Every structure is written in structure tokens, then in C-alpha cells.
Amino acid sequence: MSQTSIELQLLQTDQSKSYPEPENQYQAPSELQLTEQPHNSHQLPQRNPLQSEQQLLNSERQKKLIGLLLGFFIGTAILGLIYYIQYGQNTGSINNAAYVTPCVSSACQWAAARLSMSTDPFTQPCDYFMSPCGSKGSPLKSRGGQRGHSMQGYSQNLMDRPAETEPENKKDHRTLTEDRNLSRKHLLLQYLRGILETNHSSNSSAVRKTKDFYHSCLDTKSLETAGAEPFLELIQKLGGWAVSGQWNKTDFNYTLGLLMREYGTFPFFNLYVGKNPNDAPSNRTKRYIQIDQPDLLIPIEWNSEKQQSRAKAETLRPFLSSCQSYLAFLGSPPSNRLFHVGTFISLSSELAVATSPVQYRRLKGQLYQRITIRELQSQAPAIDWLGCLQAAFHPLSLSEDDQVLLHNLPYIIQMSKIINRWLQKPFISSSSFLETYMFLNLLHTLMPAMDSRFSETAKNMSLALGNVEEEVPRWKHCLLETETGFDTVLTHLLSERIARQKTEEIIENVFFSFISKIMELKWKDHKPFQHFIDKVYSSPPRLWSSQISDKGDLDLLFSEVTISSNGFFSNYLQLLSLWQKRRSKLLAEQTDAAYSLSVTPALVSDGVVFPMGMFVPPLFHPTYPKAMSYGAVGFLVAKDIFHLFVREIFSHNETMYAVGECVWAHYLNASENSGQVEASVLSEGQQQELWLQYSALQVALQAYHHSLSQNPADTSVSGLHHTQLFFRSFSQVSCDIDQYSEFMPLDPSFFIPVMCAKSDLCPTNPQCSIKALQNQSQTC
């Protein structure tokens, strides 16, 4: 860590010592005070706008922060002067090779190859920037392919060896489809794939088990050879199944608890661990057992007029056919199939009526309802709640006085009544229908580890229902399954390869530049600004660190796991057991869980946590020039930070409107001149995203300049001037896919000519030159 981070105390892990309580404030230097006084300033005491209304920080911390902020801007100013002196006379040259030191590492050679295959935005006319990222039928579509080609997966063998010259707990990631090449998630998966598929031996048994699990998943030939036999053997261990003619009439609640504990299957309700957003701030780290309605296998729909769910009538026939196929694959006699599938659909339809969409339940106040296990037992007596929950969270000890959170109490009550009715039906083996319902849910859980007949049947049913899904490559499917149980190992593997000091420097400098950017905004009122500064100051950024850094501890954690190199079904059962232990540990330790495949930061109780998965090739490598790192991953870090706080910024300041209108006016002028689009008005969401991404690029550039002020040395790729390399790297990730992409009204690469309109910033002017507009500043 640099001395800057120590003085600023933004990256300390001991928050109780490094940070004041929320009511404490600090005083900024005069250069960083509000640029515009609050409208009601006459009602406020005459004092520094950043001074606390209750008390100030101690003078030592004030002096450190003041000196640090002053040093930041003085250093940036000096750096600008150096750039002016060093490069001012050469602004017409694109390749100032005489003034840059080439990076010759293997990673930089790959970076140079990617640059050579991507389009240089400096040489493109304005119509190159005219379409939003990913628009169909637009000029961007073709060049998006060029960018995608340049961002294809890295050679892990090349990246692992030293250069010759020198990251909550619901398994929603299972539904991922093939991402576009620019997706950060896709790049991380490619990187981890390279790690798992290398032949490098490891002295860690946990790492070897992880690789063996991954490779057994890739071995589809063994899966096809085994067929349905492993599942049938498991059913016999569970007491048999009436569908096959052999059933030991096991107790309903016993079977349910066994499925929950050993096989991660929850037929009648969902179960997971999570926080309660309604808790007081002092208690928002506590986690609860949360009980929700199940993910029913039968397709259902919501009738908004009747305010009720129901099974989709048009889907019943293909669903019936698929279930009959499953039973046929399991060797069920034809005479039994229709009867058992019919009762399965009947029970599923009854449960479906009791479900409701989350929007409806939120409106009715049915989410996060606190209740004790004893009260839950009285409300829904058909389920042995204490027994089932103890099974699911073994070896934790639970009592009837423990509280859980419900997300649909009316469903839970109705579900209990439905089960009781089925148990009391006048059939000799009526409870066998409940067994069939549970075992078909178990089949659905284990289907990823079974032969292709099952997955193809499920795919055909999905197509019959009109669902079109992209095919997920087998390697990606296996990697996602591996992460489910071996996330700790994957995180460890990432931590071994990440350059912690350099990544922390990027995070630190970007976050510091973000703070200085916030100081420049014109806030409408003092109080929300003061509250926001408190929140940012109490949210220091840090790179997520694995709690297990020692290989011995990692091996001990997985010591009871036995992985077969050619038996994926049994390995998959081990994975489900790991998932159960992970769920129990999450409840017991009450700590934030890591998601090794995360690629965006999260705002947690003690700050902003950045996952290691953000810092992988080709977005980042420790040997890259700093200009390249800050232009790519630095911009993404800045954009993610802005997204964490944007709602509070957007609702209380005026600057973003002016900046967004400035950029948009330049864009409209350029697009009208090229005959591409007509003038249009931006929505609020588009205004917000336009300002956010433009500001993120400014912050990343400022952070890069600050890094140079601390250490002026930097290398280059392809002989490019530092600033140009920064923008070229940015252009490769500017169309980054995130949940806010739909609100971006233009290609972010258009920011390059807008920012280069400042004559002394870029070493060469882009071909798309921004002209000053009437009643509009040339620069934004």
C-alpha cells in the first residue's frame, strides 16, 4: 500500500480505530468546498460547509486530510506541467516512440496484438460513434465484432509463467447464458477455465480435488455410459419409490428433511440465508433463515384480474410428456407412468394457486415477515419445521424460539393444508404421491449430473413453451458447477495470481479521485451533501481477501471431500453436501460471504468491497503500462463506484444535468452533421447514465495522473503516447455489459473526442473533432 492510503486511512481494515462514528465530520480545504452555496444558506450558521453540526474530527486527522488533498491536486498540476513541457511540442505525432519506454512482457505482447485487431477511435470519423453499444443494424454492430475479437480469452499458459523479461448465496448463476465477449463475467470464466485446465501440478489437495471435479464434469462419455443407474441406486438408499414398485413407506417429514440436508432439494418451499433490510443499521449484519415459496417445476402464470396464480393450461401437455419421458428413462412400467405424473401435476397445480409474484407480495407487505419456529409450526403444522430446519443447517443447534423470515406466509399456510389433504386421501398409498412429487424434484436437482437424455428432454420442453435459450458450452456449465462447491478454492487461486499492491493502488487512486469529483458538484442543499460525504467517508474501499490464505487450512477445509476422477454423479452429491455446509457456515459465522465469480463491487457494512475477479486479463495484468490499466479496469472501477452512490448524487445535485446536456449537445451536433439521427430528448435514466460514465472516465484519467505524480515512470504498448494508450484501452471496454447498459444513449467512446477537445490533453486530435457550439462550452 502507498503512503497515501495510510495517511488518508481509506483502506484500513480496523474500522473502529480508523474511522469516526457517522456523526463525526472532517473539514476539507477551501479548494474543495461547495462550488455553489445552498439555496437556503442564509438559514445556516456561518461556517465551513463541511464542518459538523455536532463536532469536528481531531486536528491531527484534519491536517492529514487537508495536506493529502492539497498534495493530490498540486501533484496533478505538476504532472500536467511536465506533460506540457515534455509532449506539448509533439502533439501532432501519434506514435511518440522517442518519449515512451516499450513494455516487452508476454502480457504486453498480447495487448499489442489485441490493439492491432481493434479499431483506433482516434482515426475514425464522427459517424463511427453514432450508435449506442450493441444496437442492431447499426455501424456499431460490425465494429463491436472487432472489439469482441480483440477481447477473446487469454492463453492461461502464457499468463501463468513469468515473463521472459520480468472475486448471497442463491445459485442464480446457473441460469447464465453465453455472454458477449465484452462481458467481464465471460472474461473471468475464461481465465478460471485456463487455470483449471492447465497441467501444472499442485501440492494442495484442495486444488487437486477442485480440478478433478471440473474434469469429471467435462467427461460426458462416462455420464452417458452410467445412464440413470446412479440415480436409481440413490433412490433405493432413500427407501425406494412406489413408481418402481419398491417402496418402504418412509415417513414424509423424514424424507423431506433428508432431501434438504443431503441433496439441496426443497420441494415445497425455498430455504436460504440472508439479511433483513428492515433491520436497524446497528443490526444489519445479522443473517436469518429465510423461507420462501418454491420454484415449482410446472410453468405458472399470474392472473392480475383475479390476483391469483395458476398453471399454464397450454403447457400441461408438453409438461406431461416430458415427465413421462423421465419416468421411462428411470425404468418405470408404462402402466404406472400416467397415473403418477397425473397426480404430480395435480399437486403442483394446487401449490401453484397459492404462489404469487414478488411485486404483489411486496405490495401486500408479505416480505421479510419475522416469526418464531414455534409460531410457524402452529400456522403450518404439516411440516416438522424444527426437524427439517435442523437437518438443513446441521450441525447447528436450533430451537423453537429462533426467528426466521417468511416471504409468503399465505402460501406456507395453504401449502400445509394441501399436504394434509393429500396425506388423508382414501388411497392405500396416498403418501406415495407426495414421495413421487419430492423425488421428481430431486431428479430436477441432480439432472446436471445425469446423461443427456434428461437434459435434452428438458430442453425440448422449453422450446415447446417458446423459450429460446443460447447453448451454454460444457466448460462453462462445469465451471459454474465447480464454483458452487469450491468457491473458496477458486478465490484462493485468484489470490495467488493477483498483483495485490497494484490493484489496491488502482482502487485507492480511483476512489480518491471519485471523492474529489464529488466535491466539485453543485449540491442543492447542505444537509444531503453532508450526509453523503459522511457515507462515502465511512465506506472505505478494499480488495476482498480470502479468509483462508494458507494452503494447509484450505486442504483441511476440504479434507472430508472425496472426488472421483471419473464419477461425476457421486462428485455432484459431494458438491451438494458442500453447499449445505456453506449455507450452515453462512448462518453460523454471520459474516459476508464471498462470491468468487463476482465482477462488480458491493457496498457492505464496513466499506466498498472489490472482488478479485475484476482484475484478470485481458482487462488487467501487473506488467501492463499504468495507462492501459487505468484506461480499462480503472474506468470500470470508477463506473462501479458511481453506480453504488448514484441515486443520492443524482437526487441532490445540479451539475450532472449541465454536464450531460453538454456531452449530448456535442453528440447531436456530430450526428446531425453526419445525417445519422435527429435531435431527441433524453430520459432521466439516460441523463444519469450519460453523466455517470463521462464522469467515471474523468475520474479514471485523474487517478492515472495522480499515479504518475507519485511515480512518473510508465511504459507503453505499440509505441503509443500514454494518454492515447489510456483512451485506446478505454475504448476496448467502453461497451462493457452491465445492468445499466440499456440507459446509455450513445457509444461511450464518443467521450474521447469530447475530452480531447481540450487542446493540451491528447497528443493527437481525433478525426472526429468536436467544434465549439453556440451558447455551449467547447469542453464539458
Side-chain angles (χ1 to χ4, degrees):
M1 270 304 191
S2 68
Q3 185 65 26
T4 300
S5 63
I6 298 175
E7 294 177 353
L8 186 60
Q9 298 181 349
L10 283 177
L11 291 174
Q12 305 247 347
T13 55
D14 187 355
Q15 302 304 319
S16 62
K17 297 179 180 179
S18 301
Y19 292 94
E21 294 300 318
E23 63 267 22
N24 294 338
Q25 311 297 327
Y26 63 90
Q27 184 172 355
S30 57
E31 292 89 343
L32 298 182
Q33 293 178 7
L34 290 173
T35 56
E36 179 178 339
Q37 293 294 328
H39 298 309
N40 297 325
S41 60
H42 61 281
Q43 300 175 1
L44 299 173
Q46 295 300 316
R47 63 171 183 258
N48 187 301
L50 297 182
Q51 184 175 347
S52 169
E53 295 180 3
Q54 289 144 18
Q55 69 179 79
L56 298 174
L57 289 176
N58 59 70
S59 59
E60 182 180 353
R61 182 166 292 160
Q62 293 177 14
K63 291 178 181 179
K64 284 185 178 182
L65 183 59
I66 291 173
L68 211 28
L69 291 171
L70 285 173
F72 177 82
F73 287 103
I74 291 174
T76 304
I78 293 174
L79 180 64
L81 180 61
I82 293 174
Y83 262 73
Y84 178 78
I85 294 174
Q86 204 167 20
Y87 301 114
Q89 298 177 348
N90 297 280
T91 55
S93 172
I94 295 180
N95 298 319
N96 268 315
Y99 293 92
V100 294
T101 301
C103 173
V104 294
S105 70
S106 55
C108 286
Q109 293 173 22
W110 273 84
R114 291 190 297 108
L115 283 176
S116 67
M117 293 187 291
S118 64
T119 305
D120 182 2
F122 279 80
T123 63
Q124 300 304 310
C126 286
D127 59 5
Y128 171 85
F129 305 97
M130 290 304 102
S131 300
C133 292
S135 294
K136 296 181 179 180
S138 68
L140 181 62
K141 185 176 181 181
S142 59
R143 60 191 180 87
Q146 291 174 314
R147 291 185 185 180
H149 182 62
S150 69
M151 296 289 286
Q152 284 285 0
Y154 244 38
S155 167
Q156 180 60 35
N157 291 331
L158 175 64
M159 302 309 298
D160 267 350
R161 70 169 185 261
E164 287 76 9
T165 57
E166 40 169 329
E168 210 92 351
N169 64 329
K170 296 186 76 174
K171 297 181 280 186
D172 56 340
H173 60 265
R174 290 176 182 272
T175 61
L176 286 174
T177 56
E178 184 67 15
D179 298 325
R180 287 164 51 189
N181 289 334
L182 289 176
S183 167
R184 286 185 256 178
K185 176 62 69 63
H186 179 77
L187 296 176
L188 174 59
L189 293 178
Q190 286 277 23
Y191 185 69
L192 289 172
R193 176 192 184 186
I195 294 176
L196 294 178
E197 293 184 2
T198 56
N199 294 324
H200 296 173
S201 60
S202 175
N203 57 4
S204 167
S205 61
V207 172
R208 292 195 299 270
K209 290 175 181 178
T210 303
K211 288 188 174 184
D212 286 344
F213 177 88
Y214 173 76
H215 285 283
S216 71
C217 177
L218 293 177
D219 184 11
T220 56
K221 182 178 179 180
S222 295
L223 283 178
E224 298 301 323
T225 301
E229 192 60 32
F231 182 79
L232 293 174
E233 291 177 359
L234 175 63
I235 291 298
Q236 291 306 311
K237 292 180 181 179
L238 295 176
W241 190 6
V243 171
S244 62
Q246 298 178 350
W247 179 47
N248 295 337
K249 298 183 179 181
T250 52
D251 177 73
F252 163 75
N253 274 292
Y254 171 80
T255 302
L256 178 60
L258 195 60
L259 295 185
M260 293 170 61
R261 173 179 170 176
E262 300 294 337
Y263 307 109
T265 300
F266 308 95
F268 299 101
F269 49 87
N270 262 332
L271 194 67
Y272 54 93
V273 175
K275 299 178 183 179
N276 182 3
N278 301 322
D279 274 351
S282 60
N283 200 37
R284 283 181 183 166
T285 59
K286 180 176 175 57
R287 283 182 169 77
Y288 301 86
I289 296 174
Q290 312 218 12
I291 303 174
D292 203 348
Q293 65 186 34
D295 298 318
L296 295 175
L297 302 183
I298 190 171
I300 61 177
E301 61 184 353
W302 175 252
N303 188 320
S304 56
E305 293 183 0
K306 295 183 178 181
Q307 299 286 283
Q308 193 177 61
S309 294
R310 64 182 180 185
K312 289 184 178 180
E314 64 274 16
T315 67
L316 294 181
R317 185 177 295 275
F319 185 73
L320 173 66
S321 176
S322 64
C323 290
Q324 286 184 296
S325 297
Y326 296 146
L327 294 187
F329 301 152
L330 296 174
S332 171
S335 57
N336 287 350
R337 294 174 199 166
L338 183 59
F339 182 65
H340 281 277
V341 170
T343 54
F344 171 77
I345 292 179
S346 177
L347 176 55
S348 299
S349 299
E350 288 188 47
L351 293 173
V353 174
T355 64
S356 57
V358 67
Q359 297 88 343
Y360 175 83
R361 286 180 278 150
R362 181 180 293 112
L363 184 64
K364 295 293 184 178
Q366 296 174 355
L367 302 180
Y368 301 101
Q369 288 184 272
R370 196 187 304 265
I371 189 173
T372 66
I373 297 177
R374 178 182 288 105
E375 293 169 335
L376 179 59
Q377 188 66 55
S378 65
Q379 295 267 24
I383 304 293
D384 175 14
W385 290 103
L386 182 59
C388 286
L389 293 178
Q390 284 181 329
F393 291 96
H394 178 80
L396 298 184
S397 177
L398 300 175
S399 72
E400 292 183 330
D401 294 323
D402 287 328
Q403 294 181 330
V404 297
L405 299 181
L406 298 185
H407 295 278
N408 192 343
L409 179 57
Y411 166 82
I412 296 296
I413 294 174
Q414 185 63 23
M415 175 266 296
S416 176
K417 294 178 179 179
I418 292 172
I419 291 176
N420 272 330
R421 283 202 302 267
W422 278 81
L423 287 173
Q424 296 170 7
K425 284 183 179 292
F427 300 131
I428 298 178
S429 58
S430 59
S431 59
S432 69
F433 302 137
L434 295 174
E435 201 89 1
T436 295
Y437 179 85
M438 290 189 286
F439 281 164
L440 281 177
N441 275 270
L442 176 62
L443 175 65
H444 180 76
T445 300
L446 298 176
M447 205 175 290
M450 300 181 67
D451 67 83
S452 60
R453 294 175 299 170
F454 295 91
S455 58
E456 286 297 321
T457 300
K459 178 182 176 181
N460 291 336
M461 187 192 76
S462 181
L463 291 174
L465 300 179
N467 301 323
V468 179
E469 299 179 357
E470 295 184 42
E471 190 74 23
V472 178
R474 183 69 186 180
W475 70 265
K476 188 172 184 179
H477 164 81
C478 292
L479 184 51
L480 294 174
E481 297 292 358
T482 303
E483 192 272 342
T484 302
F486 298 90
D487 60 310
T488 307
V489 180
L490 295 184
T491 302
H492 173 75
L493 291 172
L494 283 176
S495 66
E496 284 186 326
R497 289 158 175 78
I498 196 168
R500 177 170 291 274
Q501 182 177 359
K502 293 191 175 183
T503 55
E504 288 178 336
E505 177 194 329
I506 292 176
I507 294 172
E508 171 190 344
N509 287 336
V510 170
F511 194 79
F512 193 56
S513 297
F514 166 77
I515 293 177
S516 67
K517 184 68 177 178
I518 296 304
M519 297 292 191
E520 299 172 2
L521 298 179
K522 297 180 180 179
W523 291 73
K524 299 175 183 178
D525 192 8
H526 167 71
K527 289 184 178 180
F529 174 75
Q530 183 69 67
H531 175 74
F532 180 74
I533 289 299
D534 291 343
K535 181 176 181 179
V536 173
Y537 184 63
S538 61
S539 304
R542 59 183 171 90
L543 184 67
W544 189 88
S545 299
S546 174
Q547 296 178 347
I548 300 179
S549 57
D550 183 76
K551 288 184 179 180
D553 293 338
L554 190 69
D555 293 343
L556 181 62
L557 181 65
F558 290 88
S559 59
E560 297 181 2
V561 177
T562 303
I563 299 297
S564 169
S565 59
N566 57 1
F568 184 57
F569 187 88
S570 61
N571 292 345
Y572 197 80
L573 297 182
Q574 293 273 331
L575 181 145
L576 296 177
S577 178
L578 287 173
W579 180 255
Q580 185 273 335
K581 293 177 181 178
R582 178 180 178 182
R583 183 174 58 243
S584 299
K585 183 179 180 181
L586 190 62
L587 181 65
E589 296 185 353
Q590 296 292 318
T591 56
D592 288 312
Y595 182 33
S596 61
L597 297 187
S598 177
V599 290
T600 55
L603 188 61
V604 296
S605 57
D606 59 346
V608 180
V609 179
F610 288 83
M612 289 181 287
M614 293 182 65
F615 302 91
V616 298
L619 299 176
F620 171 81
H621 191 270
T623 65
Y624 280 173
K626 288 193 288 188
M628 190 168 187
S629 295
Y630 278 90
V633 77
F635 164 73
L636 298 179
V637 168
K639 186 172 72 166
D640 290 339
I641 293 175
F642 272 103
H643 275 139
L644 290 176
F645 298 103
V646 69
R647 289 187 178 181
E648 293 163 283
I649 302 173
F650 186 79
S651 59
H652 294 294
N653 88 89
E654 301 170 338
T655 311
M656 62 190 312
Y657 293 99
V659 173
E661 288 175 1
C662 176
V663 175
W664 186 242
H666 284 305
Y667 176 79
L668 290 179
N669 183 59
S671 61
E672 288 171 358
N673 290 339
S674 63
Q676 293 289 324
V677 297
E678 298 179 357
S680 60
V681 178
L682 295 180
S683 67
E684 184 176 282
Q686 290 174 317
Q687 283 183 327
Q688 175 177 297
E689 191 65 20
L690 181 60
W691 169 84
L692 184 151
Q693 295 205 27
Y694 184 72
S695 298
L697 181 59
Q698 291 177 317
V699 163
L701 183 60
Q702 185 182 33
Y704 171 57
H705 285 167
H706 178 62
S707 177
L708 285 181
S709 70
Q710 296 178 312
N711 181 10
D714 196 11
T715 58
S716 184
V717 170
S718 301
L720 293 175
H721 176 276
H722 295 154
T723 305
Q724 189 174 3
L725 180 59
F726 173 92
F727 283 123
R728 284 289 300 273
S729 299
F730 158 72
S731 70
Q732 289 193 311
V733 302
S734 61
C735 283
D736 170 60
I737 298 175
D738 59 35
Q739 58 181 318
Y740 308 98
S741 298
E742 60 181 291
F743 296 107
M744 192 61 188
L746 51 81
D747 178 0
S749 288
F750 184 73
F751 297 155
I752 297 175
V754 175
M755 292 183 67
C756 286
K758 186 177 181 180
S759 59
D760 61 344
L761 179 60
C762 298
T764 182
N765 291 324
Q767 182 176 335
C768 178
S769 180
I770 298 299
K771 305 296 183 182
L773 303 175
Q774 185 178 5
N775 300 324
Q776 183 70 59
S777 171
Q778 184 177 4
T779 59
C780 304

PDB file of all heavy atoms in Angstrom, residues 340-355:
ATOM      1  N   HIS A 340     -48.951 -41.620 -12.010  1.00  0.00           N
ATOM      2  CA  HIS A 340     -48.091 -40.865 -11.093  1.00  0.00           C
ATOM      3  C   HIS A 340     -47.800 -39.463 -11.620  1.00  0.00           C
ATOM      4  O   HIS A 340     -47.742 -38.512 -10.839  1.00  0.00           O
ATOM      5  CB  HIS A 340     -46.792 -41.635 -10.855  1.00  0.00           C
ATOM      6  CG  HIS A 340     -46.940 -42.750  -9.865  1.00  0.00           C
ATOM      7  ND1 HIS A 340     -46.877 -42.562  -8.511  1.00  0.00           N
ATOM      8  CD2 HIS A 340     -47.170 -44.083 -10.051  1.00  0.00           C
ATOM      9  CE1 HIS A 340     -47.047 -43.717  -7.892  1.00  0.00           C
ATOM     10  NE2 HIS A 340     -47.225 -44.659  -8.799  1.00  0.00           N
ATOM     11  N   VAL A 341     -47.605 -39.335 -12.924  1.00  0.00           N
ATOM     12  CA  VAL A 341     -47.370 -37.996 -13.481  1.00  0.00           C
ATOM     13  C   VAL A 341     -48.615 -37.144 -13.327  1.00  0.00           C
ATOM     14  O   VAL A 341     -48.540 -35.948 -13.028  1.00  0.00           O
ATOM     15  CB  VAL A 341     -46.956 -38.098 -14.964  1.00  0.00           C
ATOM     16  CG1 VAL A 341     -46.949 -36.712 -15.606  1.00  0.00           C
ATOM     17  CG2 VAL A 341     -45.587 -38.743 -15.096  1.00  0.00           C
ATOM     18  N   GLY A 342     -49.792 -37.775 -13.504  1.00  0.00           N
ATOM     19  CA  GLY A 342     -51.038 -37.025 -13.350  1.00  0.00           C
ATOM     20  C   GLY A 342     -51.206 -36.477 -11.952  1.00  0.00           C
ATOM     21  O   GLY A 342     -51.599 -35.315 -11.756  1.00  0.00           O
ATOM     22  N   THR A 343     -50.898 -37.311 -10.946  1.00  0.00           N
ATOM     23  CA  THR A 343     -51.015 -36.837  -9.567  1.00  0.00           C
ATOM     24  C   THR A 343     -49.950 -35.786  -9.265  1.00  0.00           C
ATOM     25  O   THR A 343     -50.193 -34.851  -8.487  1.00  0.00           O
ATOM     26  CB  THR A 343     -50.876 -38.010  -8.586  1.00  0.00           C
ATOM     27  OG1 THR A 343     -49.650 -38.714  -8.846  1.00  0.00           O
ATOM     28  CG2 THR A 343     -52.039 -38.960  -8.722  1.00  0.00           C
ATOM     29  N   PHE A 344     -48.765 -35.911  -9.871  1.00  0.00           N
ATOM     30  CA  PHE A 344     -47.711 -34.904  -9.682  1.00  0.00           C
ATOM     31  C   PHE A 344     -48.174 -33.548 -10.217  1.00  0.00           C
ATOM     32  O   PHE A 344     -47.999 -32.513  -9.555  1.00  0.00           O
ATOM     33  CB  PHE A 344     -46.439 -35.357 -10.392  1.00  0.00           C
ATOM     34  CG  PHE A 344     -45.365 -34.303 -10.432  1.00  0.00           C
ATOM     35  CD1 PHE A 344     -44.602 -34.032  -9.309  1.00  0.00           C
ATOM     36  CD2 PHE A 344     -45.122 -33.578 -11.585  1.00  0.00           C
ATOM     37  CE1 PHE A 344     -43.611 -33.062  -9.332  1.00  0.00           C
ATOM     38  CE2 PHE A 344     -44.133 -32.614 -11.626  1.00  0.00           C
ATOM     39  CZ  PHE A 344     -43.382 -32.343 -10.496  1.00  0.00           C
ATOM     40  N   ILE A 345     -48.792 -33.547 -11.392  1.00  0.00           N
ATOM     41  CA  ILE A 345     -49.277 -32.295 -11.976  1.00  0.00           C
ATOM     42  C   ILE A 345     -50.426 -31.730 -11.147  1.00  0.00           C
ATOM     43  O   ILE A 345     -50.532 -30.517 -10.943  1.00  0.00           O
ATOM     44  CB  ILE A 345     -49.708 -32.527 -13.434  1.00  0.00           C
ATOM     45  CG1 ILE A 345     -48.472 -32.839 -14.310  1.00  0.00           C
ATOM     46  CG2 ILE A 345     -50.452 -31.317 -13.981  1.00  0.00           C
ATOM     47  CD1 ILE A 345     -48.807 -33.117 -15.760  1.00  0.00           C
ATOM     48  N   SER A 346     -51.268 -32.616 -10.645  1.00  0.00           N
ATOM     49  CA  SER A 346     -52.400 -32.168  -9.824  1.00  0.00           C
ATOM     50  C   SER A 346     -51.912 -31.476  -8.558  1.00  0.00           C
ATOM     51  O   SER A 346     -52.378 -30.383  -8.190  1.00  0.00           O
ATOM     52  CB  SER A 346     -53.294 -33.355  -9.468  1.00  0.00           C
ATOM     53  OG  SER A 346     -54.347 -32.958  -8.611  1.00  0.00           O
ATOM     54  N   LEU A 347     -50.942 -32.077  -7.866  1.00  0.00           N
ATOM     55  CA  LEU A 347     -50.397 -31.483  -6.644  1.00  0.00           C
ATOM     56  C   LEU A 347     -49.666 -30.177  -6.967  1.00  0.00           C
ATOM     57  O   LEU A 347     -49.793 -29.180  -6.243  1.00  0.00           O
ATOM     58  CB  LEU A 347     -49.464 -32.476  -5.964  1.00  0.00           C
ATOM     59  CG  LEU A 347     -48.725 -31.988  -4.710  1.00  0.00           C
ATOM     60  CD1 LEU A 347     -49.711 -31.464  -3.665  1.00  0.00           C
ATOM     61  CD2 LEU A 347     -47.871 -33.101  -4.123  1.00  0.00           C
ATOM     62  N   SER A 348     -48.904 -30.167  -8.053  1.00  0.00           N
ATOM     63  CA  SER A 348     -48.183 -28.955  -8.452  1.00  0.00           C
ATOM     64  C   SER A 348     -49.154 -27.814  -8.745  1.00  0.00           C
ATOM     65  O   SER A 348     -48.900 -26.650  -8.385  1.00  0.00           O
ATOM     66  CB  SER A 348     -47.317 -29.230  -9.683  1.00  0.00           C
ATOM     67  OG  SER A 348     -46.343 -30.218  -9.429  1.00  0.00           O
ATOM     68  N   SER A 349     -50.269 -28.144  -9.393  1.00  0.00           N
ATOM     69  CA  SER A 349     -51.259 -27.110  -9.732  1.00  0.00           C
ATOM     70  C   SER A 349     -51.891 -26.523  -8.483  1.00  0.00           C
ATOM     71  O   SER A 349     -52.154 -25.322  -8.412  1.00  0.00           O
ATOM     72  CB  SER A 349     -52.333 -27.701 -10.642  1.00  0.00           C
ATOM     73  OG  SER A 349     -51.764 -28.176 -11.861  1.00  0.00           O
ATOM     74  N   GLU A 350     -52.143 -27.363  -7.488  1.00  0.00           N
ATOM     75  CA  GLU A 350     -52.711 -26.857  -6.234  1.00  0.00           C
ATOM     76  C   GLU A 350     -51.743 -25.908  -5.532  1.00  0.00           C
ATOM     77  O   GLU A 350     -52.135 -24.856  -5.016  1.00  0.00           O
ATOM     78  CB  GLU A 350     -53.049 -28.028  -5.307  1.00  0.00           C
ATOM     79  CG  GLU A 350     -54.257 -28.838  -5.745  1.00  0.00           C
ATOM     80  CD  GLU A 350     -54.655 -29.860  -4.694  1.00  0.00           C
ATOM     81  OE1 GLU A 350     -54.737 -29.476  -3.506  1.00  0.00           O
ATOM     82  OE2 GLU A 350     -54.871 -31.037  -5.056  1.00  0.00           O
ATOM     83  N   LEU A 351     -50.476 -26.265  -5.524  1.00  0.00           N
ATOM     84  CA  LEU A 351     -49.477 -25.401  -4.899  1.00  0.00           C
ATOM     85  C   LEU A 351     -49.306 -24.101  -5.685  1.00  0.00           C
ATOM     86  O   LEU A 351     -49.080 -23.039  -5.100  1.00  0.00           O
ATOM     87  CB  LEU A 351     -48.134 -26.137  -4.802  1.00  0.00           C
ATOM     88  CG  LEU A 351     -48.086 -27.335  -3.851  1.00  0.00           C
ATOM     89  CD1 LEU A 351     -46.760 -28.070  -3.984  1.00  0.00           C
ATOM     90  CD2 LEU A 351     -48.305 -26.894  -2.403  1.00  0.00           C
ATOM     91  N   ALA A 352     -49.434 -24.193  -7.002  1.00  0.00           N
ATOM     92  CA  ALA A 352     -49.241 -23.010  -7.847  1.00  0.00           C
ATOM     93  C   ALA A 352     -50.259 -21.929  -7.511  1.00  0.00           C
ATOM     94  O   ALA A 352     -49.948 -20.728  -7.548  1.00  0.00           O
ATOM     95  CB  ALA A 352     -49.331 -23.395  -9.322  1.00  0.00           C
ATOM     96  N   VAL A 353     -51.485 -22.317  -7.205  1.00  0.00           N
ATOM     97  CA  VAL A 353     -52.539 -21.347  -6.903  1.00  0.00           C
ATOM     98  C   VAL A 353     -52.179 -20.499  -5.685  1.00  0.00           C
ATOM     99  O   VAL A 353     -52.564 -19.335  -5.577  1.00  0.00           O
ATOM    100  CB  VAL A 353     -53.889 -22.070  -6.679  1.00  0.00           C
ATOM    101  CG1 VAL A 353     -54.969 -21.099  -6.230  1.00  0.00           C
ATOM    102  CG2 VAL A 353     -54.324 -22.791  -7.949  1.00  0.00           C
ATOM    103  N   ALA A 354     -51.405 -21.054  -4.772  1.00  0.00           N
ATOM    104  CA  ALA A 354     -51.059 -20.337  -3.544  1.00  0.00           C
ATOM    105  C   ALA A 354     -49.865 -19.408  -3.713  1.00  0.00           C
ATOM    106  O   ALA A 354     -49.584 -18.596  -2.834  1.00  0.00           O
ATOM    107  CB  ALA A 354     -50.761 -21.333  -2.424  1.00  0.00           C
ATOM    108  N   THR A 355     -49.144 -19.513  -4.824  1.00  0.00           N
ATOM    109  CA  THR A 355     -47.973 -18.659  -5.039  1.00  0.00           C
ATOM    110  C   THR A 355     -48.398 -17.302  -5.590  1.00  0.00           C
ATOM    111  O   THR A 355     -49.514 -17.129  -6.075  1.00  0.00           O
ATOM    112  CB  THR A 355     -46.985 -19.312  -6.014  1.00  0.00           C
ATOM    113  OG1 THR A 355     -47.610 -19.453  -7.305  1.00  0.00           O
ATOM    114  CG2 THR A 355     -46.549 -20.681  -5.506  1.00  0.00           C
TER     115      THR A 355
END
